[in-house]
Amino acid sequence: MTVTLLIDIATNISLLLSLLFIQNLLIFQHDQTTIFSKSLQGVIIGVISIVLMNNSIFTHPGMIFDSRTVLLSVSGLFLGILPTIIAMFIAGVYRIWLGGTGMFVGVLSIIIATFLGILMGRVVTNKQIRPGWRFNFAFGLAVHSIILMLFFLLFPRPDNRMITKSLAIPYLLLLPLATSLVGSLLSFQNDSRVAQKKLLDNRELFHTLFRDNHTIMLIIDPESGDIQDANESAIKFYGWSYAEMKSMNIHQINMAPQHEVFEKIGVIQKNRELNFLAQHRRADDSIRDVEVFSETIVQNENPLLFSIIHDITD
């Protein structure tokens, strides 16, 4: 294997990773469960396959070799049937358009990589396997061993021996390593999307429970004492409008001296929670005895106080 070939392989794989990063930026904000998003993903992966074919790692008259098989197999493994089939169709049509003596084998390698990826993806899903880098490498080695064998069997002699010999190390080592790397990248992206969805779901659940709860609840900035949010029960209890409450400070409600309020906030931040008695003023200037349970929460990486208030006035 020449130094030039090694450089070409590294360049093609680097191009693949760069394009996948761009692809992730383009579709990350979309709901990945919709047909539109999956179709868009398939089109982007198909376009990346075309770019890879135009920057091949090894050429022979009428034949091109690149890392598209890495992309398509990993797509089938992690992204599912629809985007991978769309990408396969785009890549296959473009390979047919390029023509040459290697067209049939090139299209066949696209089909094999795609369906091996989809098949392994189903196995991973059904058996609830979490693919790690070793799994991805072994999968890449299996895919590219089959494709290399395909080259040997279907390319005319003596070209088949020369081609398989030249591509042995790239297909049996470098492309499986690329498969492991790309697989880890897509796995990380999937995990990030799942984590983001869970976070959004948890936020929506929290706000639903907060807004509709019959218990009086406030969210307060511990640094300034400003009221960040109030639920419907708090608005009814205190008598101010939602906009008015969000413009107020806890000192305008809590009748204790300001230094005592900040002392309690300091204790809450230190101990994570605190239960105490207080007197709160309402919009009609009436004073109510209340029991307050406060704990620290984090929203958008900002620490806040979540307070539950019970009216205990006799």
Side-chain angles (χ1 to χ4, degrees), residues 251 257-269 274:
H251 305 304
Q258 186 170 327
H259 71 276
E260 288 185 13
V261 175
F262 271 116
E263 284 177 3
K264 281 188 170 60
I265 289 176
V267 173
I268 296 168
Q269 290 179 305
L274 181 66

Side-chain angles (χ1 to χ4, degrees), residues 51-109:
V51 175
L52 294 175
M53 281 186 268
N54 282 287
N55 293 270
S56 57
I57 61 177
F58 178 78
T59 60
H60 193 72
M63 308 171 193
I64 57 173
F65 305 92
D66 50 75
S67 58
R68 84 192 94 125
T69 49
V70 171
L71 176 62
L72 293 169
S73 61
V74 172
S75 174
L77 178 60
F78 287 98
L79 303 182
I81 296 175
L82 181 59
T84 309
I85 291 294
I86 292 173
M88 178 194 73
F89 177 78
I90 294 172
V93 168
Y94 186 73
R95 184 62 189 91
I96 292 171
W97 182 80
L98 289 176
T101 56
M103 180 193 70
F104 173 74
V105 179
V107 173
L108 193 57
S109 67

Side-chain angles (χ1 to χ4, degrees), residues 126-141:
N126 292 336
K127 294 188 176 295
Q128 297 183 334
I129 300 171
R130 181 178 175 83
W133 71 268
R134 292 184 182 88
F135 180 96
N136 294 331
F137 179 86
F139 170 66
L141 179 61

Side-chain angles (χ1 to χ4, degrees), residues 7-249:
I7 293 173
D8 288 343
I9 293 169
T11 301
N12 197 260
I13 293 173
S14 298
L15 177 63
L16 169 59
L17 293 172
S18 300
L19 292 173
L20 279 176
F21 178 75
I22 295 172
Q23 177 259 170
N24 183 60
L25 292 178
L26 290 173
I27 67 169
F28 188 80
Q29 299 301 325
H30 293 277
D31 183 358
Q32 299 301 300
T33 61
T34 66
I35 294 178
F36 171 78
S37 293
K38 290 181 178 180
S39 300
L40 175 63
Q41 197 169 37
V43 170
I44 294 173
I45 292 171
V47 172
I48 293 175
S49 298
I50 292 174
V51 175
L52 294 175
M53 281 186 268
N54 282 287
N55 293 270
S56 57
I57 61 177
F58 178 78
T59 60
H60 193 72
M63 308 171 193
I64 57 173
F65 305 92
D66 50 75
S67 58
R68 84 192 94 125
T69 49
V70 171
L71 176 62
L72 293 169
S73 61
V74 172
S75 174
L77 178 60
F78 287 98
L79 303 182
I81 296 175
L82 181 59
T84 309
I85 291 294
I86 292 173
M88 178 194 73
F89 177 78
I90 294 172
V93 168
Y94 186 73
R95 184 62 189 91
I96 292 171
W97 182 80
L98 289 176
T101 56
M103 180 193 70
F104 173 74
V105 179
V107 173
L108 193 57
S109 67
I110 289 172
I111 295 172
I112 289 174
T114 298
F115 282 98
L116 286 175
I118 291 173
L119 177 63
M120 188 55 65
R122 297 296 295 272
V123 171
V124 165
T125 301
N126 292 336
K127 294 188 176 295
Q128 297 183 334
I129 300 171
R130 181 178 175 83
W133 71 268
R134 292 184 182 88
F135 180 96
N136 294 331
F137 179 86
F139 170 66
L141 179 61
V143 170
H144 292 95
S145 296
I146 292 171
I147 293 174
L148 191 65
M149 187 182 302
L150 187 72
F151 293 162
F152 182 79
L153 294 174
L154 298 182
F155 279 135
R157 296 181 181 181
D159 289 343
N160 62 341
R161 292 182 180 275
M162 185 275 292
I163 290 170
T164 51
K165 182 179 179 181
S166 299
L167 294 176
I169 293 179
Y171 271 67
L172 298 180
L173 178 60
L174 299 180
L175 291 186
L177 283 173
T179 303
S180 179
L181 188 59
V182 173
S184 298
L185 175 63
L186 290 183
S187 180
F188 174 76
Q189 290 176 357
N190 285 343
D191 290 345
S192 298
R193 291 190 187 98
V194 170
Q196 185 186 50
K197 186 177 185 305
K198 286 182 178 179
L199 179 61
L200 291 174
D201 290 343
N202 288 337
R203 284 180 181 173
E204 290 176 2
L205 177 61
F206 173 79
H207 283 293
T208 298
L209 295 174
F210 178 79
R211 295 283 179 208
D212 300 335
N213 204 299
H214 295 296
T215 304
I216 304 164
M217 297 180 179
L218 297 175
I219 295 178
I220 302 163
D221 183 342
E223 297 298 325
S224 63
D226 291 338
I227 297 174
Q228 299 292 310
D229 209 348
N231 69 352
E232 289 294 328
S233 296
I235 293 168
K236 291 177 182 178
F237 175 73
Y238 289 107
W240 286 287
S241 69
Y242 180 70
E244 288 173 327
M245 290 212 68
K246 286 198 67 176
S247 68
M248 295 175 66
N249 192 284

